[in-house]
Amino acid sequence: MPALADHRSETRDLLTRRLSTEFVIFSAEDVARCVADVQARMTHLGLSPTLDLVERMAREQLTSRVKSDPPSGSVTPWARGG
């Protein structure tokens, strides 16, 4: 299994670099965590974590995080509804 682990690590590093240049709002560590989480979820579900699929799913997740932030970048306590 070391070869498989090496392949996943190479894929994770490549995608982290690629997506970090696209999503500069996030730190490289956040992007790496997202990519690793996507790989782990795909493996857990029995899917083959190919480069294209992991990249597409990680990009979707990062995009949704960007779109879910309020325009000001912070949420005021009274706007949380609680």
Side-chain angles (χ1 to χ4, degrees), residues 46-67:
L47 301 171
S48 177
T50 64
L51 181 72
D52 291 337
L53 282 176
V54 173
E55 181 176 10
R56 186 170 39 193
M57 290 180 72
R59 181 175 284 113
E60 277 187 35
Q61 188 171 3
L62 292 167
T63 300
S64 68
R65 286 179 59 191
V66 169
K67 289 183 177 184

Side-chain angles (χ1 to χ4, degrees), residues 17-79:
R17 285 191 306 273
R18 190 181 298 174
L19 292 171
S20 289
T21 61
E22 187 175 337
F23 293 92
V24 295
I25 191 169
F26 300 116
S27 69
E29 293 82 21
D30 286 341
V31 174
R33 188 176 313 116
C34 176
V35 171
D37 287 349
V38 167
Q39 279 184 319
R41 276 185 263 137
M42 289 183 74
T43 301
H44 175 74
L45 293 172
L47 301 171
S48 177
T50 64
L51 181 72
D52 291 337
L53 282 176
V54 173
E55 181 176 10
R56 186 170 39 193
M57 290 180 72
R59 181 175 284 113
E60 277 187 35
Q61 188 171 3
L62 292 167
T63 300
S64 68
R65 286 179 59 191
V66 169
K67 289 183 177 184
S68 70
D69 279 345
S72 67
S74 64
V75 176
T76 54
W78 58 86

